C-alpha cells in the first residue's frame, strides 16, 4: 500500500478515537440542546385541525397565532428530542488494519489494494452517526409559552406579569388536552427554554 494511504489510515484511526471521546463528553453535557416539536390542535382532546412547529434550540422563537392558521388553540402535544452520539464500538479487523499499515504494496498483485480499502471502510465505520432520542418529561428543558399580548422583551422578569387582571402568559411544559380560557386568550406562541431549567439563549 502506498505511504500516503498508510498515513491516511493512521490519521483516520487517531481522529476516530478523538471523535469517540468527544462524543462521550457530549452525551454527558447537561446543556445539550433539545429539539422541540409542538403540535397545536384547534379543539380540546387533540381534535380538529392541527399545525406543527419545530424549534431547534438557540434563541427563543415567537410566533403570532395567525401564522399557525388556526382560529384558536384547544390542546397541545409536545415532543422533545436530544441528540445522543452513539459511536460504533466495533474496532476494525486487526489483520486488515495491520496489513494495510505495514505491508508494502505489490504492483503485480491486483488484489493488494483491496485490503487497504477494507481497512479504510472499517475505520470510517467508527464514525457512526448517533440518534435523536426522546427526553423524559421530568428532564425536559423546553416548552411553549402562550402570550395574551405582545411578549415582553424579557419574559423571565417580573415585568412580564400584568399588574392586574391576571397573567400575561401561560407556560405549557407537558401535553395539555384542554387549554381552557387560554384557548381564546393566546395571541402569541413562544418556543424556547422555560425558566429555571438552564440559561435562556
Amino acid at each position: 500500500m502506498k505511504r500516503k494511504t498508510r498515513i491516511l489510515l493512521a490519521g483516520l484511526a487517531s481522529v476516530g478515537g478523538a471523535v469517540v471521546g468527544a462524543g462521550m463528553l457530549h452525551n454527558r453535557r447537561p446543556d445539550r440542546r433539545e429539539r422541540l416539536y409542538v403540535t397545536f390542535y384547534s379543539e380540546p382532546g387533540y381534535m380538529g385541525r392541527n399545525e406543527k412547529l419545530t424549534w431547534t434550540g438557540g434563541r427563543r422563537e415567537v410566533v403570532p397565532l395567525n401564522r399557525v392558521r388556526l382560529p384558536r388553540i384547544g390542546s397541545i402535544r409536545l415532543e422533545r428530542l436530544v441528540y445522543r452520539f452513539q459511536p460504533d464500538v466495533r474496532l476494525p479487523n486487526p489483520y486488515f488494519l495491520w496489513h494495510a499499515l505495514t505491508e508494502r504494496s505489490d504492483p503485480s498483485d491486483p488484489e493488494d489494494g483491496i485490503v487497504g480499502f477494507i481497512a479504510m471502510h472499517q475505520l470510517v465505520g467508527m464514525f457512526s452517526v448517533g440518534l435523536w432520542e426522546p427526553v423524559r418529561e421530568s428532564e425536559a428543558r423546553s416548552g411553549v409559552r402562550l402570550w395574551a399580548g405582545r411578549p415582553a422583551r424579557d419574559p423571565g422578569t417580573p415585568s412580564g406579569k400584568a399588574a392586574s387582571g391576571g397573567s400575561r402568559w401561560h407556560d405549557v411544559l407537558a401535553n395539555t388536552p384542554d387549554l381552557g380560557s387560554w384557548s381564546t386568550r393566546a395571541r402569541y406562541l413562544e418556543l424556547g427554554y422555560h425558566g429555571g431549567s438552564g440559561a435562556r439563549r
Side-chain angles (χ1 to χ4, degrees):
M1 178 173 286
K2 293 182 180 179
R3 182 171 178 271
K4 288 183 179 179
T5 305
R6 291 195 197 104
I7 294 173
L8 176 60
L9 287 171
L12 281 172
S14 60
V15 171
V19 169
V20 169
M24 296 307 180
L25 289 175
H26 167 83
N27 290 343
R28 293 190 180 97
R29 286 177 53 188
D31 62 339
R32 288 183 297 164
R33 286 188 177 181
E34 293 177 2
R35 278 193 177 179
L36 173 66
Y37 300 89
V38 188
T39 305
F40 299 94
Y41 297 85
S42 61
E43 303 296 332
Y46 314 115
M47 303 289 287
R49 292 167 47 199
N50 67 78
E51 291 287 338
K52 294 183 180 180
L53 292 179
T54 301
W55 181 73
T56 59
R59 292 183 177 275
R60 291 166 288 171
E61 181 178 357
V62 176
V63 179
L65 178 62
N66 59 16
R67 203 174 107 190
V68 299
R69 295 173 293 184
L70 296 177
R72 64 176 189 166
I73 299 174
S75 49
I76 295 177
R77 281 192 191 276
L78 304 178
E79 180 184 13
R80 304 166 177 101
L81 300 177
V82 67
Y83 186 79
R84 175 171 293 278
F85 183 88
Q86 205 166 31
D88 188 344
V89 296
R90 291 177 300 174
L91 297 175
N93 183 292
Y95 167 77
F96 290 117
L97 183 61
W98 179 255
H99 182 81
L101 292 174
T102 61
E103 296 296 320
R104 294 184 176 275
S105 60
D106 183 359
S108 63
D109 184 359
E111 297 183 357
D112 185 64
I114 294 177
V115 174
F117 175 80
I118 294 174
M120 186 175 297
H121 180 74
Q122 291 183 352
L123 280 173
V124 172
M126 293 178 66
F127 302 106
S128 172
V129 295
L131 51 85
W132 290 94
E133 63 180 17
V135 178
R136 285 183 292 191
E137 193 171 288
S138 61
E139 299 176 357
R141 302 172 56 240
S142 57
V144 178
R145 177 166 284 181
L146 307 178
W147 286 87
R150 187 174 295 278
R153 177 175 294 182
D154 183 1
T157 64
S159 61
K161 295 270 186 179
S164 61
S167 174
R168 292 181 56 200
W169 75 71
H170 174 69
D171 283 337
V172 178
L173 309 178
N175 291 338
T176 305
D178 190 348
L179 286 172
S181 64
W182 277 97
S183 176
T184 54
R185 288 187 65 191
R187 293 292 178 268
Y188 291 87
L189 319 169
E190 179 192 347
L191 282 63
Y193 291 119
H194 58 77
S197 299
R200 288 178 179 268
R201 299 172 188 267

